[in-house]
Amino acid sequence: MKKNVITLGICFLLGSGIVLVLYAASNKIVHTPNSFLRIYKKNVTTRINELDLDFNSYYVAGITGDRIVLGNITAPSKLLLINNNLADSQHVTLRIRNINNPTIHQGSTIKLHSPYFYIADGVEPVIYRGRTGQWEADRFGYDDHAYFTQIIPIGNASFAIRTNMPGSFDNVLGKVQSDSPRIQLKPSLLQKQIDGVFCTDGQLLYNRDLKQLIYMYYYRNEYIVYDTSLQLSYRGHTIDTFSRAQINVGYINSSKSKQLMSKTTVNIRGATSGNYLFIMSGLLARNDGKDSFLRNSIIDVYDLRTDNYRFSFSLPKYNQAWARDIFVVDKTLIALYDHYVVQYHFNEEEFQ
Amino acid sequence: MKRQLAIEIICFLFVLLFVYAALIKWMDIQKFTVQLGQSPLLMAFADWFVWVVPTVELIISAMLVFRVTRLAGLYAAFTLMVMFTVYIVVILTYADHIPCSCGGILEDMQWNEHLIFNIAFVLLAATGTSLMTMPSKPETNETKIYYAS
């Protein structure tokens, strides 16, 4: 009897020990510092306001006048308008005019480009346009069927899009507009490294001040800067050393699909305003403390005019949550944390 | 005699669980490989684990079938279930959604249901070993022979 308990105890320690060793080994791989260095600046931002949104499904649709407009992934026809000091908020329900039984489908995104807002549904595909402040939209002249997976308005009647190539489904960047040529695709902008879909995944951004589009890859140290006629300006590089997408893709014949197995996210989220590109990085530099990553998000700042890394700053966690998205306009940084929105002010002298 | 029946039932349940789990994994081995590749703990060893885990499950099942190896098989089953349980606890500490790689109906369980299911099997294996090692009047000698093996 006693012997049995001892044997069970040994088996228990052996079993849990093996798993904990695996855990420690995988932890070590994830948190190994990389060979690049960051230049940290302190006091880059000052937190000025915060607001509890109650739901974690909000995203920043844009800014109009003195209001921040938040869209909601799970309720695409609802907007939340909050004023600049986050003190006052107002719920708005979007309406579509002149159409029988209009529905705003799940997956639609709201994007602002003053004086208009757009409801973009890449699956249908359909775009509605209306004036900000009135929050009523009409179907926008967009009758060609061009599906898209990301979209940003770049003028009153034109949009930068990311879609998939017919046949191969590789990601491709392009543009749709109401004038001819309605759809333009530029396959040479994205460079396939592994499978064409996951390896080229990233975030599409538009800098209104420089009139430049930016596509930031998630899994390699690169961002593509191109103009609104889809001409490549340059390929910029983030400070880490991952020039090849850090992913593994698995293929499952029984469901005719491929899945992303493992990944190292180099660039988590991006934002751009003025001359700068802000990238929330997923990698530790050689001079980063391990616990700094546990307590902060790290934002690297790049100068888009010169394609240079400028400096980094840390954005502390808020209520135990890391920032899940950032949005920058002029001297304001808006960060979303779980179900909170927090507003920071940039201390100007850092941007000389 | 009642004790013997209980041991038979426990062993039968383990054989059923392990054979089912092993075969269902191999029936769609690509899917299993991808799921292991998505696990933060196992991604580095996925290609290897695809073969090791079901093989171990089948070997333990065989050990439970034969009387001579039954006790050792129960200890092995206990160890394996402890490993799966600790794995779940570790996985639960990760924030991201991680798919379960158990296969078949076992895959439909929530992580916390899975945890309870596993703990039940850990206790079952422990019960099995104590039933087999407990000294009993007529079977004492026989039990000791098992022990030595």
Side-chain angles (χ1 to χ4, degrees):
Chain A
M1 198 65 210
K2 198 177 163 195
K3 210 170 171 187
N4 179 43
V5 173
I6 293 169
T7 317
L8 285 176
I10 292 169
C11 288
F12 182 85
L13 291 177
L14 184 73
S16 36
I18 291 170
V19 179
L20 292 175
V21 165
L22 284 178
Y23 175 68
S26 65
N27 238 358
K28 202 174 174 189
I29 296 166
V30 174
H31 292 293
T32 303
N34 297 291
S35 60
F36 64 94
L37 294 167
R38 285 199 165 90
I39 307 160
Y40 276 101
K41 284 207 176 187
K42 282 184 174 157
N43 308 319
V44 176
T45 55
T46 310
R47 192 168 93 199
I48 43 177
N49 289 302
E50 58 259 341
L51 180 69
D52 188 346
L53 301 168
D54 297 329
F55 297 102
N56 62 4
S57 49
Y58 284 107
Y59 63 92
V60 178
I63 300 217
T64 168
D66 59 348
R67 277 160 186 271
I68 301 162
V69 180
L70 301 179
N72 189 334
I73 299 164
T74 49
S77 62
K78 305 279 187 196
L79 291 183
L80 183 66
L81 313 185
I82 46 185
N83 72 351
N84 246 340
N85 54 19
L86 308 187
D88 177 45
S89 64
Q90 179 194 352
H91 288 273
V92 168
T93 302
L94 295 172
R95 283 194 347 111
I96 295 171
R97 291 186 297 205
N98 306 325
I99 288 178
N100 294 329
N101 302 320
T103 44
I104 300 174
H105 292 116
Q106 283 291 336
S108 299
T109 52
I110 317 296
K111 295 279 182 186
L112 259 62
H113 190 274
S114 294
Y116 297 108
F117 73 93
Y118 299 87
I119 306 168
D121 178 348
V123 180
E124 188 71 21
V126 64
I127 297 175
Y128 302 98
R129 184 177 79 171
R131 285 190 172 270
T132 57
Q134 294 174 348
W135 308 116
E136 288 185 321
D138 293 298
R139 191 175 171 128
F140 188 58
Y142 182 68
D143 295 326
D144 295 311
H145 288 276
Y147 301 89
F148 50 85
T149 49
Q150 283 188 41
I151 189 162
I152 291 186
I154 51 176
N156 287 342
S158 55
F159 307 85
I161 60 162
R162 189 190 74 177
T163 184
N164 299 103
M165 287 296 276
S168 70
F169 289 101
D170 289 353
N171 283 321
V172 61
L173 296 175
K175 181 183 177 182
V176 290
Q177 56 189 20
S178 49
D179 305 329
S180 180
R182 286 169 171 256
I183 304 167
Q184 299 165 65
L185 298 179
K186 189 86 182 249
S188 62
L189 286 172
L190 295 184
Q191 292 172 319
K192 176 173 171 169
Q193 287 185 332
I194 295 166
D195 70 311
V197 177
F198 296 118
C199 73
T200 53
D201 199 7
Q203 186 185 6
L204 183 60
L205 299 163
Y206 179 54
N207 186 310
R208 284 186 79 163
D209 303 297
L210 299 175
K211 302 226 175 329
Q212 295 279 311
L213 286 150
I214 298 143
Y215 188 80
M216 178 199 81
Y217 285 119
Y218 289 140
Y219 308 119
R220 60 182 108 156
N221 67 344
E222 192 178 312
Y223 54 90
I224 301 156
V225 181
Y226 60 107
D227 66 20
T228 52
S229 51
L230 304 182
Q231 294 306 308
L232 177 74
S233 301
Y234 64 89
R235 292 177 190 278
H237 291 278
T238 55
I239 48 175
D240 59 90
T241 51
F242 287 131
S243 58
R244 220 179 139 69
Q246 300 294 302
I247 59 166
N248 284 307
V249 179
Y251 297 86
I252 303 173
N253 290 340
S254 63
S255 58
K256 292 194 173 58
S257 65
K258 57 182 172 188
Q259 283 191 23
L260 193 55
M261 298 204 291
S262 61
K263 62 187 184 189
T264 301
T265 308
V266 171
N267 304 312
I268 301 171
R269 293 302 287 171
T272 182
S273 180
N275 297 319
Y276 300 98
L277 173 65
F278 302 84
I279 294 181
M280 191 192 294
S281 176
L283 298 175
L284 275 178
R286 212 169 63 208
N287 59 332
D288 284 334
K290 270 179 196 164
D291 47 329
S292 100
F293 229 57
L294 294 174
R295 274 188 256 126
N296 304 290
S297 300
I298 294 170
I299 315 276
D300 299 323
V301 183
Y302 299 88
D303 191 328
L304 288 171
R305 294 165 303 180
T306 55
D307 177 23
N308 271 343
Y309 165 67
R310 290 296 301 274
F311 60 87
S312 303
F313 64 94
S314 45
L315 202 59
K317 279 168 127 178
Y318 182 78
N319 274 353
Q320 282 98 53
W322 279 288
R324 59 182 168 86
D325 204 0
I326 52 170
F327 192 87
V328 179
V329 62
D330 299 329
K331 297 286 172 238
T332 304
L333 184 148
I334 297 155
L336 296 168
Y337 298 81
D338 192 22
H339 56 98
Y340 296 95
V341 58
V342 181
Q343 190 179 18
Y344 296 87
H345 182 75
F346 279 118
N347 301 322
E348 292 195 33
E349 57 270 29
E350 302 299 343
F351 290 99
Q352 280 159 6
Chain B
M1 233 31 236
K2 261 188 186 169
R3 185 199 293 183
Q4 196 52 42
L5 184 68
I7 293 170
E8 293 290 341
I9 289 171
I10 288 172
C11 290
F12 174 75
L13 286 175
F14 269 103
V15 171
L16 193 70
L17 175 72
F18 284 156
V19 171
Y20 175 77
L23 294 185
I24 206 90
K25 281 169 191 147
W26 277 345
M27 275 167 68
D28 198 343
I29 197 147
Q30 284 178 324
K31 190 174 160 200
F32 182 45
T33 315
V34 169
Q35 286 172 334
L36 282 184
Q38 288 170 333
S39 160
L41 248 72
L42 304 175
M43 57 174 128
F45 323 99
D47 293 334
W48 199 62
F49 268 56
V50 164
W51 299 104
V52 171
V53 174
T55 305
V56 168
E57 285 173 340
L58 291 179
I59 290 173
I60 295 175
S61 302
M63 288 168 80
L64 292 173
V65 170
F66 300 108
R67 287 194 146 216
V68 217
T69 49
R70 186 166 277 177
L71 183 64
L74 278 173
Y75 283 124
F78 174 82
T79 311
L80 192 65
M81 290 314 294
V82 166
M83 286 173 71
F84 289 158
T85 310
V86 174
Y87 173 76
I88 291 176
V89 173
V90 172
I91 281 286
L92 285 173
T93 64
Y94 278 89
D96 293 10
H97 173 77
I98 291 129
C100 165
S101 348
C102 302
I105 50 164
L106 304 175
E107 213 171 296
D108 299 330
M109 275 189 276
Q110 296 293 315
W111 280 116
N112 44 3
E113 290 168 11
H114 219 319
L115 194 60
I116 294 163
F117 180 87
N118 279 16
I119 290 170
F121 268 91
V122 168
L123 296 177
L124 213 54
T127 312
T129 58
S130 50
L131 285 177
M132 287 192 72
T133 52
M134 211 185 280
S136 64
K137 287 142 259 167
E139 286 175 330
T140 317
N141 286 332
E142 209 184 347
T143 324
K144 275 191 178 151
I145 294 165
Y146 286 152
Y147 224 117
S149 66

